[in-house]
């Protein structure tokens, strides 16, 4: 329905909650905001109970600011720290059971396609490393094999944060965590390569050091999913609690990991590349 | 595929002309789906369910459904059903035994999410050692989910319960899923006569806005505002909201009863209401119970049958009333735990008159003779056992 559903009926401004009026007046609906202007518009998520300095929380703020079409976006999450913020945003949020995200998103996207064949409805999964690559692995992979047209974003803190710091498949080898008292015995799973092999049309990996680039990556992943097929972003979002990273050092840590194993990486099919070149050329023409 | 026209749900269920066909239970379920204007069906193979979802797949290929796919496994299938129903679609799936248990975490959350849908449960042994035969112990696992549970005796019930299931499930004051259970093989793979509504008539499409909980489709104003989600900060709020919500789920379950009366003629069927001794049975066991009533009549014994069609909501009041004067109650079942006997015992005051059994399990047939043995014993009749070697 787009903006129609956001707009306040004339005469009702006085009766709507302030939060709502602000979202309509100063928010992101119907316009593209620049993430570097965070704080100068009404954000889709402002309040959340995540830990101070949690980089996952920061990533989620940037994620919402980057949405190309927030008035027609549905976010799917699952058990894990991310849902603490996702469930409080001004964007419809679905929470089912732990690890079910990519199956729920498959059903939801198909239903929306049946019901609104001519409208854009973006479906985006944001879930933890445990949710997507351990418990939900089969559903994650199969949504990609089936070429379901939605975006999957893994907020990888390399641990089960929400349950108090257990090892996940994405924890680096050797790291001592709960349920890995002798250190993790096997390598961090290569999610990016799995996504490519499984049929994602756009795959990116990043550490959240550069908000503009995060926003661009998210926007690209969502646009490519709309038209071509599954897309995947693997984001390093450190857990400062379980990895004992002092709050004032989280960015330093992200920069360090970016140099080690989270260098920005972007891969896409030729078809998707041509599409971006096309639309990016068009926006430049508009600007010129 | 014939052109189908939408007709009023009450007309289709209660008045439309019917044509008699000799078909299997699996066909009966698919024929109901054909007339139910289903948007999407999601399948995962398991014997004895597979036949149903093959047929439903063919319906999609012919154009009766808008979408269909074979999922990765049952947890994925049932989660995707949740997504599709949230997106406003009318959805169907079916499974059996181990498949039901694998999907159960998702299925058990459907009522709490207020998701109307129909799930076929074509029973099969669960637990070791392996068997694929029609034991119905899996229904016991469904009883505490909040979902509506109907148990079909034969192919006709399968058709009627499935078609009505969509209508009942989507009633605004119900809005929880309906499981249509029947015994695998005995019903799914055997033929019986089914009176069916015309092939060229179908239910109206689902209207997802006629709902106590709206669909997640970004179409209904106002837009969502930032909120303090219930489970986040305060345990007290999360207890409270969960409690209130679950009360509402179970109230919805009870509110379905009036529609079970309207569309299925009530939650029970009583044969010989003035009987001295009753057999209470559901599903296939009810068919055997019917035979036992006939045998008993031939021998001049006053035996009746209470067939229980709806296991959730459970017809406590109705059963209490019918059994109030009964001398004894015999409950034959196709499972080892005796879930129906427990339900009946829990709702009548003088439950020492309940004889739990006979029970067969592992998917065995339930010979009428086993029920007759119980009948003879409550009437104090001693029969010599003939052992045929
Ligand atoms: C079926 C099921 N199993 C286990 C859990 C417990 N659980 C909740 S969150 C979580 C771990 C979350 O880890 P991850 O997905 O990496 O997210 P994070 O909290 O680290 O962001 C687990 C195991 C659950 N809710 N449901
Ligand atoms: S436990 Fe870790 S991931 Fe979770 S909110 Fe706290 S810092 Fe963030
Ligand atoms: Mg994690």
């Amino acid at each position: 329905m787009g903006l129609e559903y956001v707009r306040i009926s004339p005469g009702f401004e006085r009766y709507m909650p302030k939060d709502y009026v602000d979202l309509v007046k100063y928010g992101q609906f119907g316009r593209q905001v620049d993430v570097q202007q965070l704080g100068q518009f009404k954000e889709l998520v402002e309040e959340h109970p995540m830990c101070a300095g949690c980089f996952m929380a920061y990533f989620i703020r940037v994620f919402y600011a980057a949405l190309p079409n927030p008035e027609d976006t549905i976010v799917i999450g699952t058990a894990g720290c991310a849902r603490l913020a996702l469930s409080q945003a001004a964007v419809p949020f679905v929470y089912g059971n732990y690890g079910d995200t990519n199956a729920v998103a498959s059903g939801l996207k198909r239903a929306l396609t049946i019901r609104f064949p001519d409208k854009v409805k973006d479906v985006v999964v944001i879930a933890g490393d445990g949710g997507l690559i351990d418990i939900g692995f089969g559903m994650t992979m199969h949504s990609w094999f089936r070429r379901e047209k939605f975006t999957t974003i893994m907020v990888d803190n390399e641990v089960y944060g929400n349950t108090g710091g257990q090892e996940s498949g994405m924890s680096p080898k050797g790291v001592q965590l709960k349920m890995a008292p002798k250190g993790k015995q096997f390598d961090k799973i290569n999610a990016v390569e799995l996504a490519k092999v499984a049929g994602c049309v756009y795959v990116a990996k990043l550490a959240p050091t550069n908000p503009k680039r995060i926003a661009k990556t998210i926007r690209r992943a969502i646009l490519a999913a709309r038209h071509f097929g599954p897309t995947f972003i693997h984001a390093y979002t450190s857990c400062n609690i379980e990895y004992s990273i002092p709050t004032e050092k989280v960015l330093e840590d992200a920069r360090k990991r970016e140099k080690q194993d989270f260098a920005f990486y972007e891969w896409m099919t030729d078809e998707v590349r041509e599409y971006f070149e096309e639309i990016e050329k068009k926006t430049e023409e508009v600007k010129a | 595929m014939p052109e189908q026209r939408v007709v009023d749900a009450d007309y289709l269920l209660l008045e439309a002309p019917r044509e008699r066909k000799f078909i299997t239970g699996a066909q009966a379920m698919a024929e109901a789906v054909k007339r139910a204007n289903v948007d999407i069906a999601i399948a995962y193979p398991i014997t004895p369910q597979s036949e149903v979802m093959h047929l439903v797949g063919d319906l999609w290929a012919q154009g009766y459904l808008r979408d269909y796919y074979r999922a990765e496994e049952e947890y994925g299938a049932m989660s995707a059903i949740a997504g599709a129903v949230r997106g406003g679609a009318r959805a169907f799936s079916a499974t059996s035994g181990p498949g039901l248990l694998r999907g159960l975490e998702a299925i058990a959350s459907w009522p709490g999410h207020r998701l109307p849908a129909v799930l076929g449960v074509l029973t099969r042994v669960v637990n070791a050692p392996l068997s694929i035969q029609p034991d119905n112990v899996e229904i016991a696992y469904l009883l505490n989910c909040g979902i509506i549970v109907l148990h079909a005796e034969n192919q006709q019930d399968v058709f009627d319960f499935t078609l009505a299931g969509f209508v009942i499930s989507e009633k605004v004051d119900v809005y929880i899923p309906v499981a249509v259970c029947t015994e695998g093989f005995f019903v799914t793979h055997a033929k019986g006569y089914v009176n069916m509504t015309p092939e060229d008539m179908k239910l109206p499409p689902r209207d997802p806005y006629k709902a106590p909980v709206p669909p997640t489709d970004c179409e209904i104003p106002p837009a969502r505002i930032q909120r303090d989600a219930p489970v986040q900060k305060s345990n007290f709020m999360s207890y409270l909201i969960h409690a209130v919500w679950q009360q509402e789920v179970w109230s919805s379950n009870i509110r379905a009863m009036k529609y079970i009366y309207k569309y299925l003629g009530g939650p029970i069927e009583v044969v010989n209401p003035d009987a001295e001794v009753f057999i209470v049975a559901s599903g296939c066991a009810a068919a055997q119970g019917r035979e036992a009533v006939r045998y008993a009549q031939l021998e001049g014994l006053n035996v009746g049958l209470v067939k229980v069609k709806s296991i959730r909501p459970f017809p406590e009041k109705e059963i209490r009333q019918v059994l109030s004067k009964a001398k004894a109650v015999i409950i034959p079942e196709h499972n080892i735990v005796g879930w129906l006997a427990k339900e009946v015992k829990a709702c009548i005051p003088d439950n020492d008159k309940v004889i739990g059994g006979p029970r067969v399990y592992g998917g065995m047939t339930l010979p009428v003779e086993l029920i007759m043995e119980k009948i003879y014993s409550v009437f104090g009749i001693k029969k010599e056992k003939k052992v045929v070697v």
Side-chain angles (χ1 to χ4, degrees):
Chain A
M1 190 179 233
L3 287 174
E4 263 319 293
Y5 115 110
V6 171
R7 204 168 283 138
I8 300 172
S9 303
F12 278 83
E13 289 87 349
R14 296 168 45 196
Y15 305 104
M16 293 302 282
K18 174 114 180 22
D19 201 22
Y20 195 96
V21 178
D22 286 353
L23 275 170
V24 177
K25 268 196 182 159
Y26 311 113
Q28 287 172 241
F29 297 123
R31 67 195 175 99
Q32 199 68 71
V33 294
D34 179 347
V35 282
Q36 283 173 312
Q37 248 121 50
L38 270 180
Q40 297 171 56
F41 56 90
K42 172 85 173 173
E43 286 177 59
L44 291 165
V45 63
E46 285 181 328
E47 243 189 74
H48 62 75
M50 296 174 78
C51 304
C54 173
F55 235 35
M56 193 186 291
Y58 169 73
F59 180 87
I60 288 169
R61 271 179 80 188
V62 176
F63 160 76
Y64 279 112
L67 288 181
N69 194 22
E71 56 276 12
D72 265 315
T73 300
I74 295 164
V75 174
I76 306 210
T78 192
C81 287
R83 66 97 214 254
L84 296 168
L86 302 174
S87 60
Q88 305 207 55
V91 171
F93 171 67
V94 175
Y95 177 102
N97 295 295
Y98 188 39
D100 69 359
T101 51
N102 286 39
V104 174
S106 301
L108 179 69
K109 181 69 192 186
R110 283 166 184 256
L112 297 174
T113 308
I114 293 169
R115 294 185 55 223
F116 309 103
D118 305 321
K119 283 187 187 176
V120 169
K121 301 264 179 195
D122 295 322
V123 171
V124 186
V125 168
I126 304 195
D129 41 311
L132 287 171
I133 296 290
D134 289 342
I135 192 169
F137 186 79
M139 285 169 280
T140 306
M141 295 299 294
H142 277 273
S143 70
W144 294 341
F145 294 141
R146 286 194 306 265
R147 305 287 168 112
E148 304 281 354
K149 287 176 153 179
F150 61 83
T151 299
T152 305
I153 300 177
M154 176 166 64
V155 278
D156 178 15
N157 56 4
E158 311 189 307
V159 68
Y160 285 20
N162 203 217
T163 37
Q166 299 82 9
E167 166 198 293
S168 94
M170 298 301 293
S171 308
K173 188 173 178 178
V175 175
Q176 196 182 31
L177 291 156
K178 287 163 197 147
M179 299 192 185
K182 294 184 176 184
K184 188 176 179 228
Q185 301 292 307
F186 63 100
D187 282 325
K188 185 174 176 73
I189 296 169
N190 191 337
V192 158
E193 287 306 316
L194 286 171
K196 283 164 64 179
V197 173
C200 287
V201 297
Y202 176 91
V203 177
K205 181 171 171 177
L206 56 82
T209 53
N210 175 345
K212 226 176 156 69
R213 193 167 59 197
I214 305 171
K216 185 175 177 187
T217 309
I218 287 169
R219 220 166 291 156
R220 283 186 153 195
I222 292 175
L223 293 179
R226 245 183 228 175
H227 301 289
F228 302 104
T231 60
F232 176 60
I233 298 174
H234 178 185
Y236 173 66
T237 57
S238 66
C239 174
N240 50 326
I241 297 293
E242 298 302 342
Y243 278 87
S244 306
I245 308 166
T247 295
E248 64 281 8
K249 296 259 163 68
V250 288
L251 184 58
E252 198 178 296
D253 166 76
R255 288 203 175 112
K256 194 179 88 198
R257 291 298 296 271
E258 188 167 41
K259 286 208 187 84
Q260 293 168 358
D261 54 342
F262 270 95
F264 181 72
Y265 172 82
E266 194 183 41
W267 176 91
M268 64 196 91
T269 62
D270 292 343
E271 193 181 33
V272 172
R273 185 177 305 283
E274 279 161 31
Y275 168 74
F276 286 140
E277 278 166 7
E278 189 79 4
I279 53 169
E280 277 153 24
K281 201 167 74 196
K282 264 191 214 147
T283 40
E284 262 153 44
E285 277 165 16
V286 173
K287 273 187 205 154
Chain B
M1 167 192 162
E3 194 61 34
Q4 283 187 303
R5 71 190 162 93
V6 166
V7 296
D8 177 67
D10 284 8
Y11 172 79
L12 190 64
L13 294 175
L14 301 171
E15 292 163 39
R18 297 228 174 188
E19 200 188 336
R20 202 159 104 113
K21 287 270 166 70
F22 190 59
I23 56 174
T24 65
Q27 285 173 311
M29 194 165 260
E31 289 295 331
V33 169
K34 187 197 270 185
R35 291 154 175 82
N37 209 343
V38 172
D39 292 305
I40 182 167
I42 301 170
Y44 191 78
I46 183 166
T47 306
Q49 165 272 137
S50 299
E51 185 74 8
V52 171
M53 294 310 284
H54 297 169
L55 292 167
V56 171
D58 293 344
L59 292 178
W60 169 63
Q62 290 165 54
Y64 287 98
L65 278 73
R66 263 65 74 196
D67 202 354
Y68 171 92
Y69 72 96
R70 190 265 320 145
E72 53 275 67
E73 37 85 20
E74 289 87 356
Y75 186 78
M78 303 311 165
S79 300
I81 290 281
V85 177
R86 272 177 182 282
R90 183 174 289 155
F92 175 79
S93 189
T95 188
S96 295
L100 180 76
L101 294 206
R102 191 173 176 98
L104 200 62
E105 187 195 1
I107 293 165
S109 73
W110 291 348
H113 290 300
R114 306 307 300 269
L115 302 174
V118 173
L119 175 72
V121 176
L122 299 321
T123 66
R124 155 181 174 163
V125 163
V126 298
N127 209 328
L130 169 80
S131 164
I132 59 168
Q133 302 303 328
D135 183 307
N136 68 22
V137 73
E138 70 199 79
I139 295 175
Y141 295 85
L142 274 180
L143 297 183
N144 301 313
C145 296
I147 189 168
I148 294 164
V149 180
L150 306 176
H151 196 179
E153 175 188 350
N154 50 31
Q155 294 77 6
Q156 180 72 57
D157 279 356
V158 169
F159 178 83
D160 291 337
F161 293 5
T162 305
L163 191 56
F166 287 101
V167 176
I168 296 171
S169 160
E170 289 172 23
K171 290 285 179 188
V172 180
D173 56 347
V174 177
Y175 230 70
I176 50 175
V178 172
V180 176
C181 312
T182 198
E183 278 66 24
F185 294 115
F186 295 152
V187 178
T188 55
H189 289 58
K191 285 188 174 184
Y193 285 106
V194 182
N195 290 314
M196 292 196 292
T197 57
E199 221 177 4
D200 61 354
M201 290 184 193
K202 61 177 173 182
L203 289 177
R206 176 174 168 210
D207 176 357
Y209 303 115
K210 259 195 193 161
V213 175
T216 312
D217 61 3
C218 298
E219 292 287 315
I220 353 135
R224 189 188 149 110
I225 57 171
Q226 300 191 17
R227 38 176 134 153
D228 197 356
V231 289
Q232 314 307 341
K233 283 178 182 165
S234 132
N235 277 338
F236 177 72
M237 282 307 286
S238 90
Y239 302 147
L240 187 71
I241 289 173
H242 183 88
V244 170
W245 203 256
Q246 282 297 315
Q247 279 175 355
E248 178 54 15
V249 165
W250 284 98
S251 302
S252 307
N253 197 295
I254 288 165
R255 289 196 295 262
M257 191 59 104
K258 58 180 174 296
Y259 301 115
I260 291 170
Y261 271 101
K262 178 170 176 182
Y263 298 119
L264 304 177
I268 59 172
E269 177 201 331
V270 184
V271 178
N272 189 16
D274 299 319
E276 235 178 294
V277 168
F278 273 99
I279 297 161
V280 179
S282 65
C284 260
Q288 299 306 86
R290 221 179 269 287
E291 269 302 277
V293 169
R294 196 174 64 84
Y295 281 26
Q297 266 163 2
L298 291 176
E299 300 196 27
L301 302 172
N302 192 10
V303 177
L305 170 73
V306 180
K307 165 181 160 181
V308 189
K309 297 184 241 178
S310 168
I311 314 296
R312 285 289 179 276
F314 194 67
E316 292 180 15
K317 193 174 57 142
E318 291 81 352
I319 287 179
R320 201 154 46 227
Q321 201 200 338
V322 179
L323 299 184
S324 62
K325 296 204 188 75
K327 184 168 100 180
V329 179
I330 296 164
I331 306 188
E333 292 187 62
H334 279 275
N335 66 77
I336 197 167
V337 301
W339 51 260
L340 184 61
K342 285 180 190 149
E343 294 287 322
V344 175
K345 280 186 186 167
C347 78
I348 61 172
D350 45 351
N351 66 13
D352 52 347
K353 69 185 181 187
V354 173
I355 294 149
R359 286 180 201 153
V360 292
Y361 24 93
M364 284 178 214
T365 54
L366 175 55
V368 181
E369 288 74 11
L370 286 184
I371 307 177
M372 290 310 293
E373 275 178 22
K374 301 279 183 200
I375 292 175
Y376 295 142
S377 100
V378 300
F379 280 101
I381 300 169
K382 289 221 163 51
K383 293 250 171 178
E384 251 177 63
K385 272 204 178 150
K386 277 190 228 136
V387 181
V388 185
V389 185

